[in-house]
């Protein structure tokens, strides 16, 4: 923090507001005392200029296309690390030693099973329920099954809840998928790594051994890593706000899953692939670009644009490399969807509208192509995003609870409604 101040003058008032300098990114003006001193609110719907907290977990420089997790660039983590090591880094702040990593992976492995009674919970849904609807319900219901890790004031219970959530999300996501296709649940195995376990629970059947393809499990693990955390995005802010009331960790993560579901956020990967399928062929791309540019049409190119990245999303760059590898492995490098995606990216980036508004492919643009190539239906894309983001949500939840100064989040408003008026009896209306 520094002793710099901003001077705010309005009417006959002059208020000095402290300015804090971060280790990276823009300075912030502390307005916590503004209402008490000046009896005014600030106004920032969508929080485009508002820092809701301080954090040491993730940093994004939207101009440079930089994403750091505890200081480590996402490209280096995607290349050299793996998801559970990134989970450890996000949760505990440092890369683990070999023993710390082994212990952590063992702990996560030992928490991958669900309480058997939860099977009945899945069976309460219609078979055609969207997997996100199942995930929101089942994760929220975990607070009814794991009472011994809901006390947010107990550090050890917070840690157990964090481990349980990271460990059980693949099982929950896989079982939501199996339930939707009428196949039996496949139980996790302790001799498989995290991504391989997930692929086997999704695509394995009791009738035969499932052989994990190492290139697909590596691509799956990389997708998890690229989605792990992303500062105070909409769903993470939802988790923090839910946590600020003292809600239990499972309720907070269920709230984050619900928020992620929207097509403007985590639902964009499903919407993006559906858009690519709707475009269908390269010759129809100009029609869709024209619609996205039309001010009178609310249509947007899914997978393009970002609130923070105004250059390129570094995750999209890595994701495209993975897409090339997976499609080559599967011998579908001439995948028509990939052809449409690459031509759409080329034409959009050459179009002045997208260049002026700094709209570039984001993390959701290529992930759907990989997931579809691996064999997932589009309805499973956002559950996979939620699975991967759980570590980011829970790390930010933990960080907020460990801040002794944290308080309940309670924004104010610019009220434009009626001023006080008397009730009118119905016979006089
Ligand atoms: C994620 O926050 C995060 O970090 C999220 C995320 C994470 O990891 O948690 O990165 C994950 O959510 C990625 C974003 C996925 N969403 C999509 O791909 C959906 C399509 N994108 C848009 O809905 C939009 O770009 C947002 C929601 C992502 C960002 O919206 P903003 O920052 O509020 O920008 P905006 O809506 O104010 O748009 C600015 C201008 C507008 O034009 P004008 O009104 O100024 O004339 O750009 C236009 C918009 O119309 N615009 C688009 C566009 N996105 C913005 N025009 C066409 N196609 C688009 N995709």
């Amino acid at each position: 923090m520094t002793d710099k101040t901003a001077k705010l003058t309005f009417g006959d008032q002059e208020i000095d507001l402290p300015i804090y300098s971060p280790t990276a990114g823009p300075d912030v003006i502390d307005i916590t005392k503004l209402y008490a001193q000046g009896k005014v609110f600030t106004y920032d719907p969508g929080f485009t200029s508002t820092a809701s907290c301080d954090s040491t977990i993730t940093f994004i420089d939207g101009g440079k296309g930089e994403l750091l997790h505890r200081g480590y660039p996402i490209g280096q983590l995607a290349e050299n690390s793996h998801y559970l090591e990134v989970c450890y880094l996000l949760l505990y702040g440092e890369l683990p030693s070999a023993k710390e990593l082994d212990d952590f992976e063992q702990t996560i492995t030992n928490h991958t099973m669900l309480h058997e009674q939860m099977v009945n919970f899945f069976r309460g849904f219609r078979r055609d329920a969207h997997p996100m609807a199942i995930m929101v319900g089942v994760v929220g219901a975990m607070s009814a099954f794991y009472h011994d890790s809901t006390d947010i004031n107990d550090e050890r219970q917070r840690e157990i809840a964090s481990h349980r959530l990271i460990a059980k999300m693949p099982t929950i996501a896989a079982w939501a998928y199996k339930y939707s296709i009428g196949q039996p649940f496949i139980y996790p195995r302790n001799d498989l790594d995290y991504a391989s376990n997930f692929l086997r629970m999704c695509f394995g059947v009791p009738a035969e051994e499932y052989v994990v393809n190492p290139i697909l499990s590596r691509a799956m693990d990389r997708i998890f890593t690229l989605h792990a955390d992303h500062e105070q995005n909409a769903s993470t802010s939802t988790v923090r706000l839910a946590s600020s009331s003292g809600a239990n960790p499972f309720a907070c993560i269920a709230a984050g899953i619900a928020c992620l579901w929207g097509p403007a956020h985590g639902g964009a990967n499903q919407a993006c692939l559906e858009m690519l399928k709707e475009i269908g062929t390269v010759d129809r791309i100009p029609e869709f670009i024209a619609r996205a540019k039309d001010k009178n049409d609310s249509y947007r190119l899914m997978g393009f644009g970002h609130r923070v990245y105004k250059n390129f999303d570094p995750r999209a760059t890595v994701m495209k490399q993975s897409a090339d590898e997976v499609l080559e492995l599967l011998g579908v490098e001439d995948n028509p969807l990939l052809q449409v995606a690459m031509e759409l990216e080329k034409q959009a980036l050459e179009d002045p509208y997208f260049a002026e508004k700094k709209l570039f492919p984001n993390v959701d643009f290529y992930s759907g192509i990989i997931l579809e190539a691996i064999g997932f239906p589009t309805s499973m894309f956002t559950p996979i995003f939620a699975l991967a983001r759980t570590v980011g949500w829970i790390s930010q939840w933990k960080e907020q609870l460990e801040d002794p100064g944290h308080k309940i989040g309670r924004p104010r408003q610019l009220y434009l409604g009626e001023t006080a008026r008397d009730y009118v009896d119905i016979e006089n209306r």
Side-chain angles (χ1 to χ4, degrees):
M1 308 301 188
T2 70
D3 57 0
K4 292 189 289 187
T5 59
K7 196 174 290 299
L8 180 63
T9 56
F10 57 97
D12 57 356
Q13 300 201 61
E14 185 172 288
I15 298 175
D16 287 336
L17 298 169
I19 293 178
Y20 306 137
S21 293
T23 49
D27 282 357
V28 300
I29 298 173
D30 180 348
I31 57 167
T32 48
K33 302 283 190 290
L34 177 59
Y35 181 63
Q37 293 173 349
K39 292 293 176 247
V40 290
F41 297 145
T42 58
Y43 182 66
D44 185 14
F47 313 119
T48 48
S49 305
T50 296
S52 60
C53 61
D54 50 64
S55 180
T56 61
I57 299 174
T58 292
F59 174 72
I60 301 169
D61 183 322
K64 291 197 286 188
E66 182 181 50
L67 167 57
L68 307 177
H69 289 316
R70 303 288 191 181
Y72 295 100
I74 189 63
Q76 291 184 32
L77 292 172
E79 185 63 32
N80 305 309
S81 185
H82 63 278
Y83 182 67
L84 282 188
E85 183 174 74
V86 172
C87 286
Y88 185 98
L89 174 66
L90 290 170
L91 269 176
Y92 299 109
E94 295 295 337
L95 289 170
S97 67
K99 178 172 184 337
E100 286 166 336
L101 179 59
D102 189 51
D103 291 347
F104 180 71
E105 292 187 334
Q106 199 54 52
T107 299
I108 297 301
T109 297
N110 292 338
H111 278 293
T112 50
M113 282 178 64
L114 292 179
H115 188 294
E116 190 61 16
Q117 192 73 14
M118 294 189 90
V119 170
N120 301 330
F121 199 92
F122 278 85
R123 299 206 188 289
F125 290 97
R126 281 176 40 153
R127 287 283 182 179
D128 60 354
H130 194 291
M132 283 297 279
I134 297 176
M135 193 174 245
V136 168
V138 171
V139 171
M142 285 174 76
S143 47
F145 288 87
Y146 299 104
H147 301 90
D148 60 343
S149 60
T150 52
D151 179 355
I152 60 170
N153 299 307
D154 180 318
E155 183 181 5
R156 181 58 184 143
Q157 290 200 28
R158 292 202 299 266
E159 185 172 43
I160 294 170
S162 305
H163 293 163
R164 277 177 165 153
L165 280 158
I166 293 167
K168 297 180 192 303
M169 285 299 269
T171 310
I172 292 168
W175 286 17
Y177 171 55
K178 283 301 200 188
Y179 187 71
S180 72
I181 58 174
Q183 286 190 2
F185 295 140
I186 299 294
Y187 285 74
R189 289 251 307 256
N190 292 349
D191 59 344
L192 292 177
D193 64 68
Y194 192 86
S196 301
N197 224 345
F198 176 62
L199 288 174
R200 180 178 169 276
M201 287 192 282
C202 288
F203 300 120
V205 290
E208 62 187 24
E209 272 309 301
Y210 177 78
V211 179
V212 178
N213 180 316
I215 292 183
L216 296 189
S217 60
R218 176 71 185 139
M220 195 76 250
D221 188 274
R222 185 173 286 177
I223 284 181
F224 292 158
T225 297
L226 292 173
H227 287 82
D229 190 47
H230 214 238
E231 281 192 4
Q232 308 311 318
N233 57 83
S235 53
T236 299
S237 300
T238 300
V239 171
R240 279 183 173 260
L241 201 53
S243 169
S244 73
S245 76
N248 73 70
F250 306 110
C252 293
I253 300 305
I257 296 170
C259 176
L260 186 79
W261 196 355
H265 190 15
N269 50 20
Q270 173 174 345
C272 180
L273 207 88
E274 287 164 355
M275 173 191 73
L276 293 174
K277 288 180 176 175
E278 188 187 3
I279 294 172
T281 53
V282 168
D283 62 320
R284 293 192 64 206
I285 289 174
E287 169 196 335
F288 284 80
I289 287 182
R291 281 190 59 196
K293 291 164 60 176
D294 181 353
K295 294 307 296 168
N296 300 316
D297 189 336
S298 62
Y299 183 79
R300 292 194 169 182
L301 290 186
M302 292 290 109
F304 275 82
H306 199 275
R307 169 63 57 78
V308 176
Y309 289 123
K310 299 305 177 189
N311 189 332
F312 65 95
D313 183 336
R315 302 169 297 176
T317 308
V318 180
M319 200 72 84
K320 185 176 179 315
Q321 292 162 9
S322 279
D324 292 339
E325 287 166 17
V326 167
L327 295 180
E328 186 183 347
L329 166 86
L330 298 176
V332 287
E333 52 266 58
D334 59 352
N335 176 316
L337 287 178
L338 183 65
Q339 305 313 324
V340 170
M342 289 169 62
E343 182 59 23
L344 175 62
E345 178 185 22
K346 180 174 176 295
Q347 291 189 26
L349 296 186
E350 288 167 356
D351 188 300
Y353 172 91
F354 291 87
E356 283 154 21
K357 294 184 185 297
K358 301 190 181 303
L359 303 172
F360 298 85
N362 56 45
V363 68
D364 295 301
F365 187 67
Y366 283 106
S367 58
I369 290 169
I370 301 173
L371 294 174
E372 177 170 75
I374 292 176
F376 290 103
T378 53
S379 61
M380 276 300 292
F381 291 5
T382 310
I384 288 168
F385 192 152
L387 182 174
R389 182 54 57 85
T390 294
V391 66
W393 289 330
I394 208 68
S395 299
Q396 304 262 356
W397 167 83
K398 176 174 175 283
E399 180 178 68
Q400 178 168 283
L401 286 174
E402 289 170 353
D403 171 5
H406 86 271
K407 57 177 70 169
I408 191 166
R410 204 307 186 179
R412 304 306 300 271
Q413 63 179 9
L414 168 63
Y415 179 65
L416 299 175
E418 296 287 344
T419 53
R421 54 181 172 164
D422 294 329
Y423 181 80
V424 178
D425 292 333
I426 194 159
E427 57 272 14
N428 300 325
R429 291 175 202 161

